[in-house]
């Protein structure tokens, strides 16, 4: 999924029944493009590479907030994806979780908005990680080991019959993540290759039984 795909999804948010209401007003894709420009302006270079802003606050008018109301959560999700995709395309890194917050100001006129980005450090100055489902939903991975399996006691429960009760585990070691197969019946694969214990990289495809997830660092 590239940045252009995120832009197309932002455009589709206002298609169909919303198209007339959004003519001449603030467009979600405009926010996405502005967001990536501000990321460029706010990036810094460190000994470990280019660090990009991971936190954004967008303030819009009450009129635009009312127009966005029916899909505000989806808009925030797409804007966060735009930040991740831009950083991935440019080879930038984050030092904390990606977060977009949307506010409204009663003094703003229609189409008026402000957008501020900053670098916010996560615990230990490390980014967050997540497993992404095909529908785009994200399962956050924290500091503690995360068990994947069919058992209700698993941290990530997958009800697919090809998934073992305790199938695999993801552990964090410093600024690296590893996935381990827990002796599952149908195996665990990373980018199509069977694994026992392997480091994960941003964008890796993880297959647990017949369930495919994408590993992302953000």
């Amino acid at each position: 999924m590239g940045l252009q795909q995120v832009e197309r999804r932002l455009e589709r948010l206002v298609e169909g029944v919303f198209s007339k209401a959004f003519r001449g007003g603030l467009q979600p894709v405009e926010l996405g493009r502005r967001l990536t420009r501000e990321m460029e302006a706010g990036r810094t270079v460190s000994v470990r590479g280019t660090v990009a802003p991971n936190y954004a606050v967008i303030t819009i008018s009450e009129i635009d907030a009312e127009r966005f109301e029916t899909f505000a959560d989806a808009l925030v999700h797409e804007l966060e994806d735009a930040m991740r995709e831009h950083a991935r395309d440019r080879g930038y890194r984050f030092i904390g979780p990606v977060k977009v917050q949307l506010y409204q100001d009663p003094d703003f006129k229609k189409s008026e908005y402000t957008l501020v980005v900053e670098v916010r450090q996560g615990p230990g100055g490390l980014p967050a990680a997540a497993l992404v489902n095909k529908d785009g939903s994200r399962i956050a991975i924290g500091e503690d080991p995360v068990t994947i399996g069919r058992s209700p006691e698993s941290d990530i429960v997958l009800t697919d019959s090809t998934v073992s009760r305790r199938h695999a585990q993801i552990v964090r070691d410093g600024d690296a993540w590893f996935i381990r197969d827990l002796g599952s019946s149908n195996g665990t694969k990373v980018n199509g290759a069977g694994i026992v214990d392997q480091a994960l990289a941003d964008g890796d495809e993880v297959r647990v039984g017949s369930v495919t997830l994408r590993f992302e660092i953000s």
Side-chain angles (χ1 to χ4, degrees), residues 18-203:
F18 299 109
S19 59
K20 290 184 179 179
F22 272 80
R23 287 176 186 169
L26 181 62
Q27 300 292 323
V29 72
E30 178 183 345
L31 294 176
R33 290 169 180 162
R34 170 73 181 278
L35 184 55
T36 57
R37 290 198 301 269
E38 293 299 324
M39 287 178 67
E40 286 295 313
R43 71 190 192 280
T44 59
V45 179
S46 71
V47 293
R48 300 178 66 182
T50 301
V51 175
N54 58 295
Y55 182 79
V57 174
I58 303 173
T59 306
I60 60 178
S61 70
E62 288 185 335
I63 295 173
D64 289 315
E66 184 177 348
R67 293 158 68 230
F68 290 169
E69 184 177 7
T70 57
F71 55 88
D73 290 343
L75 175 60
V76 167
H77 173 81
E78 296 294 353
L79 291 172
E80 290 173 345
D81 268 357
M83 295 181 74
R84 296 184 184 100
E85 289 302 321
H86 185 69
R88 188 171 293 114
D89 289 346
R90 299 299 178 92
Y92 302 157
R93 61 185 296 267
F94 298 120
I95 61 170
V98 171
K99 180 69 175 176
V100 172
Q101 293 194 303
L102 193 64
Y103 296 105
Q104 55 184 287
D105 190 318
D107 295 327
F108 281 15
K109 299 177 182 178
K110 181 180 179 180
S111 299
E112 183 180 359
Y113 72 96
T114 60
L115 194 158
V116 179
V117 299
E118 60 181 82
V119 174
R120 284 202 175 183
Q121 184 169 300
L126 298 173
L131 288 174
V132 184
N133 287 306
K134 285 187 176 181
D135 64 2
S137 59
R138 304 178 66 83
I139 306 165
I141 300 172
E143 295 290 321
D144 297 328
V146 172
T147 302
I148 305 168
R150 204 174 69 253
S151 168
E153 286 74 39
S154 298
D155 299 298
I156 298 175
V157 179
L158 301 177
T159 57
D160 191 282
S161 61
T162 64
V163 177
S164 297
R165 289 182 59 80
R166 279 176 49 85
H167 197 110
Q169 187 178 63
I170 295 178
V171 296
R172 186 172 192 165
D173 184 4
D175 59 356
W177 287 263
F178 295 83
I179 185 167
R180 296 168 181 164
D181 186 82
L182 299 177
S184 66
S185 298
N186 294 305
T188 302
K189 295 182 178 180
V190 175
N191 299 325
I195 64 95
V196 175
D197 189 338
Q198 181 169 315
L200 288 169
D202 183 42

Side-chain angles (χ1 to χ4, degrees), residues 199-210:
L200 288 169
D202 183 42
D204 276 351
E205 181 184 272
V206 175
R207 191 170 180 86
V208 180
S210 63

